Amino acid sequence: MHIRPFASEDRYRLTEIWRTAVEATHDFLTVADIDYYEPLVRDSYLPAVEVWVAEDAQGALTGFIGLSENKVEMLFVDPSVKGQGIGRTLLDHAHSLKGRLDVDVNEQNPLAMGFYLKYGFVQTGRSETDGEGKPFPIIHLAQPQTCS
């Protein structure tokens, strides 16, 4: 696996990864919700953050992480390669660049919560709505100050 910076030609493949990952893990979202967010991810969210992509030995994109300062704004892995350490490798890369990280997780996504808690994040707060004001509660997590 290789981690490299985002290139503009990655945008559509990363949006596909986002959609398939969300469909596999975000049971609380309807198809209409996913359809609403998809163009925002592709056209607004990806260009607004520092994105790093994971690619396999053949150069196929398998996942990505989007950062704003030390905050993980997005982390998605293609479900067909889930469980192979791609998410952890992307987080390790982000940590090596930024130090202590923060992340927000949908409360209704227990797999993501478990992933971040296992990585060492701790809960620091909760919001009733997501960043778009939709009624999807968010759990705020951070790595402890002593995390290196």
Side-chain angles (χ1 to χ4, degrees):
M1 175 182 358
H2 173 69
I3 307 295
R4 65 164 175 79
F6 170 81
S8 60
E9 60 268 16
D10 299 332
R11 186 166 54 127
Y12 290 98
R13 174 63 184 133
L14 297 187
T15 304
E16 288 175 8
I17 290 171
W18 171 85
R19 182 165 188 122
T20 58
V22 166
E23 289 172 342
T25 59
H26 292 59
D27 296 340
F28 56 95
L29 294 177
T30 66
V31 172
D33 292 325
I34 295 169
D35 289 344
Y36 169 83
Y37 286 109
E38 185 172 16
L40 291 172
V41 168
R42 183 188 63 235
D43 302 328
S44 297
Y45 300 164
L46 283 172
V49 296
E50 176 185 347
V51 178
W52 294 87
V53 300
E55 57 184 16
D56 65 16
Q58 292 73 41
L61 301 183
T62 56
F64 67 98
I65 191 167
L67 306 169
S68 178
E69 303 285 329
N70 72 319
K71 185 172 184 185
V72 177
E73 296 289 352
M74 53 183 80
L75 173 59
F76 292 94
V77 173
D78 185 325
S80 69
V81 292
K82 183 179 170 228
Q84 296 182 19
I86 296 165
R88 174 170 278 284
T89 300
L90 286 163
L91 267 181
D92 289 345
H93 182 76
H95 182 74
S96 72
L97 293 173
K98 307 293 182 180
R100 191 185 67 80
L101 300 169
D102 299 320
V103 67
D104 291 339
V105 179
N106 289 104
E107 183 176 72
Q108 297 153 301
N109 186 352
L111 292 175
M113 281 291 298
F115 170 78
Y116 288 111
L117 293 174
K118 184 177 178 184
Y119 194 87
F121 284 80
V122 295
Q123 184 172 340
T124 59
R126 182 180 184 277
S127 299
E128 285 295 321
T129 58
D130 69 7
E132 294 292 319
K134 294 198 174 269
F136 303 120
I138 299 294
I139 303 297
H140 309 289
L141 302 170
Q143 291 181 307
Q145 293 291 345
T146 58
C147 186
S148 59

